[in-house]
Amino acid sequence: MSDLSVIPLCVPNLEDENGLEARTVNQCFENGMVSYGGAFVNEFQEKVASACGARHAAATSSGTTALHAGLHALGVQPGDLVIVPSLTFIASANAISQCAAEPWLCDVARDSWTLEAAQLEKMLENECMRDSAGVLRRRPSSQDEAKGSEGARIGAIMPVYMLGLPAEMDRICDVARKFDIPVIADGAAAMGATFRGHPIGSIPDGPQLTALSFNANKIITTGGGGMLIGNDEALMERIVQLTTTARDWHRGYHHTEIAFNYRLTNLCAALGVAQMSKLDGFLAAKHAISQRYAQAFAGRADLQPFPEVEWATGACWFSGVFLPEWSADQVTAMRAHLDRHAIRTPPFWKPLHLQPPYRDAPRMDLSVSDAIWQHILPLPCSTHLTVEDQKRVTDAVLSFERQG
Ligand SMILES: *Cc1c(COP(=O)(O)O)cnc(C)c1O
C-alpha cells in the first residue's frame, strides 16, 4: 500500500487557485511591515471579533499566551487555584501555571466531554469556604492547617470548548456569578461555534473572556497565533496593554508595569485576514466531514460520533469516532491499521492528571475523563479533505477486524 498518498489528521487549507494567502502575506514584504506594526493586525482583530459577535478582540502570539494574558488580566495571582477540566490540551493548564497558580482539575460530563456544571457547583459549594475577608478559598487540607496556611483562593474558572463544542455556559456562568469568580473560556478551536444560537463572543451573561488559537490545525491558521475576545472595554484595553509591554506611547519608552510581549506579527495577521474570508466555507466543510463520518458508521453501534448537545452547535473542529466498548489496545490496533493505509491518526490528548507536571495537582473525581480519553479516535478532518479520501478513511475503519 506504499503507493497511497498520506492522509494527515488535520493540516492548514491554503489551497486557492488565486493564491489569496500568498498575495496577502506578500503585501507585508512589499511595504516592509513584517513585524508588530502594520494594518493587518487591526483588520484581523476586527474580522474575528465580528465573526464571533464580540465587541473587542486582542491578537496574541498563540492560544496559550492568550490564556495566560487573560488569566493575568482577570486577577489570577500566585498561589490561586483555577478550575479546569482534566480532559484538555496541556496548554490550558500551562497558562494557569505561568501565573504561578495551580489548576484544580475537574471532570467532564459524559454526554458533552465539557466541564460538568453540577460538579463545579459542588466544588464551590462544598469544597470551598469564604475567609473572614469574604474571599472564596478551597477548604484547607489537614496539611495546610498543620502549616497554619489557609486554603488557596479560587482565581478563575476555565471551561474548555472541547473539540470546538461550547460547554454548558449558562449554567457554568450562573454558578460563577453566584460565587463571584471570573470565567475565561478556552475556545481555542471553537471559532464559528454557537451557544443557544449566539456566536461564542456574545453569549448572554457569558464568560468575561474567550481565548482562540490559530495554530496550524485550528479552524483557521495564522501559522501560529491566538486572540482574546470579550465585551468589557476596560478589561480588553488592559489586555492590549499587558500583551504589548504596557508601553505608554505618549511618553516614549515608558512602561507602566511588568507586562508581556505576546503580540501577533503583521505577517501572521495577513495570513489570518486571508483565512478569515474562507471561514464560512471551512466551517461548512468541517460539518460536512462530521456528517459523512456519522453516516458511514451509522450501522455500527460500536462506532459512535463525537458528542452533540442541545445547548450548542460546535465548530466540528475534529470529528471521528468514539469507541467506548473497545479496549484501549483495540483502539491502538485500529490506529496501526489506519497507519498501514497511510491514514494518520495520532493518539488523543492524555488528560492533565496523567501528565508528569500535573500528577500532583488537586483534583475532583475524574472517572469520566479516565473512562473515555483512550476511546476517542479523531479521524482526518482537514477542510480540503476530498470525498474520495474520506471514503478511503471510512472504508479503512470499516475493514478493521477487532480481535480479542
Ligand atoms: C490548540 C489549543 C490550545 C493552544 O493553542 P496554541 O495556539 O497552540 O498555544 C489551548 N487549548 C486548547 C483546548 C487547544 O485545542
Short mmCIF file of all heavy atoms in Angstrom, two decimals, residues 62-65 67 88-89 91-92 160 186 188-189 213-215 217-218 225 317 349, ligand 1:
data_model
loop_
_atom_site.label_atom_id
_atom_site.label_comp_id
_atom_site.label_asym_id
_atom_site.label_seq_id
_atom_site.Cartn_x
_atom_site.Cartn_y
_atom_site.Cartn_z
N SER A 62 -0.10 33.32 20.49
CA SER A 62 -0.60 31.94 20.47
C SER A 62 -1.86 31.85 21.33
O SER A 62 -2.21 32.80 22.05
CB SER A 62 0.45 30.96 21.03
OG SER A 62 0.58 31.12 22.42
N GLY A 63 -2.51 30.71 21.27
CA GLY A 63 -3.65 30.47 22.15
C GLY A 63 -3.20 30.41 23.60
O GLY A 63 -3.89 30.90 24.51
N THR A 64 -2.02 29.83 23.82
CA THR A 64 -1.51 29.71 25.19
C THR A 64 -1.24 31.08 25.79
O THR A 64 -1.61 31.34 26.95
CB THR A 64 -0.19 28.89 25.19
OG1 THR A 64 -0.39 27.69 24.44
CG2 THR A 64 0.23 28.55 26.60
N THR A 65 -0.61 31.98 25.00
CA THR A 65 -0.33 33.31 25.55
C THR A 65 -1.63 34.11 25.73
O THR A 65 -1.73 34.93 26.65
CB THR A 65 0.70 34.08 24.69
OG1 THR A 65 0.23 34.16 23.34
CG2 THR A 65 2.05 33.41 24.71
N LEU A 67 -4.45 32.78 26.74
CA LEU A 67 -4.97 32.28 28.02
C LEU A 67 -4.18 32.87 29.19
O LEU A 67 -4.76 33.29 30.20
CB LEU A 67 -4.89 30.75 28.07
CG LEU A 67 -5.92 30.01 27.21
CD1 LEU A 67 -5.54 28.53 27.09
CD2 LEU A 67 -7.33 30.15 27.79
N THR A 88 -8.20 18.07 28.55
CA THR A 88 -7.95 19.20 27.65
C THR A 88 -6.51 19.10 27.17
O THR A 88 -5.73 18.27 27.65
CB THR A 88 -8.19 20.54 28.37
OG1 THR A 88 -7.96 21.63 27.46
CG2 THR A 88 -7.27 20.73 29.56
N PHE A 89 -6.16 19.95 26.23
CA PHE A 89 -4.77 20.07 25.80
C PHE A 89 -3.99 20.74 26.92
O PHE A 89 -4.52 21.60 27.63
CB PHE A 89 -4.73 20.89 24.51
CG PHE A 89 -3.35 21.11 23.97
CD1 PHE A 89 -2.51 20.04 23.70
CD2 PHE A 89 -2.88 22.39 23.73
CE1 PHE A 89 -1.23 20.24 23.20
CE2 PHE A 89 -1.60 22.60 23.22
CZ PHE A 89 -0.78 21.53 22.96
N ALA A 91 -1.97 23.03 27.21
CA ALA A 91 -1.84 24.50 27.21
C ALA A 91 -2.79 25.15 28.20
O ALA A 91 -2.43 26.18 28.81
CB ALA A 91 -2.08 25.05 25.82
N SER A 92 -3.99 24.61 28.37
CA SER A 92 -4.96 25.21 29.30
C SER A 92 -4.33 25.30 30.69
O SER A 92 -4.42 26.34 31.36
CB SER A 92 -6.24 24.37 29.39
OG SER A 92 -6.70 23.95 28.14
N VAL A 160 -13.50 24.48 28.91
CA VAL A 160 -12.86 24.25 27.61
C VAL A 160 -13.94 23.84 26.61
O VAL A 160 -14.80 23.02 26.92
CB VAL A 160 -11.79 23.14 27.74
CG1 VAL A 160 -11.16 22.84 26.38
CG2 VAL A 160 -10.72 23.55 28.75
N ASP A 186 -11.62 28.54 27.33
CA ASP A 186 -10.63 28.10 26.35
C ASP A 186 -11.41 27.63 25.13
O ASP A 186 -11.87 26.49 25.06
CB ASP A 186 -9.75 26.98 26.93
CG ASP A 186 -8.70 26.50 25.92
OD1 ASP A 186 -8.81 26.86 24.73
OD2 ASP A 186 -7.79 25.76 26.34
N ALA A 188 -10.18 27.58 22.09
CA ALA A 188 -9.09 27.55 21.11
C ALA A 188 -9.55 27.12 19.72
O ALA A 188 -9.15 27.70 18.72
CB ALA A 188 -7.98 26.63 21.61
N ALA A 189 -10.42 26.11 19.68
CA ALA A 189 -10.79 25.53 18.38
C ALA A 189 -12.26 25.75 18.07
O ALA A 189 -12.86 24.99 17.31
CB ALA A 189 -10.48 24.04 18.40
N SER A 213 -7.24 30.04 19.31
CA SER A 213 -5.91 29.71 18.78
C SER A 213 -5.98 29.63 17.27
O SER A 213 -6.99 29.21 16.70
CB SER A 213 -5.44 28.36 19.35
OG SER A 213 -4.37 27.85 18.57
N PHE A 214 -4.87 30.02 16.65
CA PHE A 214 -4.76 29.93 15.19
C PHE A 214 -3.53 29.12 14.80
O PHE A 214 -2.85 29.43 13.83
CB PHE A 214 -4.70 31.33 14.57
CG PHE A 214 -5.80 32.24 15.06
CD1 PHE A 214 -5.50 33.39 15.77
CD2 PHE A 214 -7.13 31.93 14.82
CE1 PHE A 214 -6.51 34.23 16.23
CE2 PHE A 214 -8.16 32.75 15.28
CZ PHE A 214 -7.84 33.90 15.99
N ASN A 215 -3.21 28.11 15.59
CA ASN A 215 -2.08 27.27 15.19
C ASN A 215 -2.49 26.44 13.97
O ASN A 215 -3.63 26.53 13.49
CB ASN A 215 -1.54 26.45 16.37
CG ASN A 215 -2.30 25.17 16.64
OD1 ASN A 215 -2.99 24.63 15.77
ND2 ASN A 215 -2.17 24.65 17.84
N ASN A 217 -3.48 23.55 13.04
CA ASN A 217 -4.62 22.65 12.81
C ASN A 217 -5.96 23.21 13.28
O ASN A 217 -6.97 22.51 13.25
CB ASN A 217 -4.34 21.26 13.40
CG ASN A 217 -4.38 21.22 14.91
OD1 ASN A 217 -4.89 22.13 15.56
ND2 ASN A 217 -3.86 20.16 15.49
N LYS A 218 -6.02 24.47 13.69
CA LYS A 218 -7.28 25.01 14.20
C LYS A 218 -8.22 25.41 13.03
O LYS A 218 -7.90 25.15 11.88
CB LYS A 218 -7.00 26.18 15.15
CG LYS A 218 -6.27 25.74 16.44
CD LYS A 218 -7.10 24.82 17.28
CE LYS A 218 -6.54 24.26 18.57
NZ LYS A 218 -5.21 24.36 19.02
N GLY A 225 -0.67 31.66 16.39
CA GLY A 225 -1.28 32.90 16.86
C GLY A 225 -2.48 32.60 17.74
O GLY A 225 -2.91 31.45 17.86
N TRP A 317 -14.47 21.06 14.97
CA TRP A 317 -13.02 21.17 14.72
C TRP A 317 -12.45 19.81 14.36
O TRP A 317 -11.86 19.64 13.31
CB TRP A 317 -12.32 21.73 15.97
CG TRP A 317 -10.83 21.70 15.88
CD1 TRP A 317 -10.08 22.08 14.81
CD2 TRP A 317 -9.91 21.29 16.90
NE1 TRP A 317 -8.74 21.93 15.11
CE2 TRP A 317 -8.61 21.45 16.38
CE3 TRP A 317 -10.06 20.82 18.21
CZ2 TRP A 317 -7.46 21.14 17.12
CZ3 TRP A 317 -8.92 20.52 18.93
CH2 TRP A 317 -7.64 20.68 18.40
N TRP A 349 -5.46 13.53 23.20
CA TRP A 349 -4.91 14.16 24.42
C TRP A 349 -5.01 13.22 25.63
O TRP A 349 -6.10 12.75 25.96
CB TRP A 349 -5.71 15.41 24.80
CG TRP A 349 -5.71 16.49 23.79
CD1 TRP A 349 -4.73 16.80 22.89
CD2 TRP A 349 -6.75 17.46 23.58
NE1 TRP A 349 -5.10 17.89 22.15
CE2 TRP A 349 -6.33 18.32 22.54
CE3 TRP A 349 -7.99 17.69 24.17
CZ2 TRP A 349 -7.10 19.37 22.08
CZ3 TRP A 349 -8.76 18.74 23.72
CH2 TRP A 349 -8.32 19.57 22.69
C1 LIG B 1 -4.78 24.44 20.45
C2 LIG B 1 -5.25 24.55 21.84
C3 LIG B 1 -4.62 25.43 22.74
C4 LIG B 1 -3.32 26.13 22.49
O1 LIG B 1 -3.21 26.97 21.45
P1 LIG B 1 -1.75 27.36 20.89
O2 LIG B 1 -2.07 28.40 19.88
O3 LIG B 1 -1.18 26.11 20.29
O4 LIG B 1 -0.94 27.88 22.01
C5 LIG B 1 -5.17 25.57 24.00
N1 LIG B 1 -6.27 24.86 24.37
C6 LIG B 1 -6.88 24.01 23.54
C7 LIG B 1 -8.10 23.30 24.01
C8 LIG B 1 -6.39 23.81 22.25
O5 LIG B 1 -7.01 22.94 21.45
#
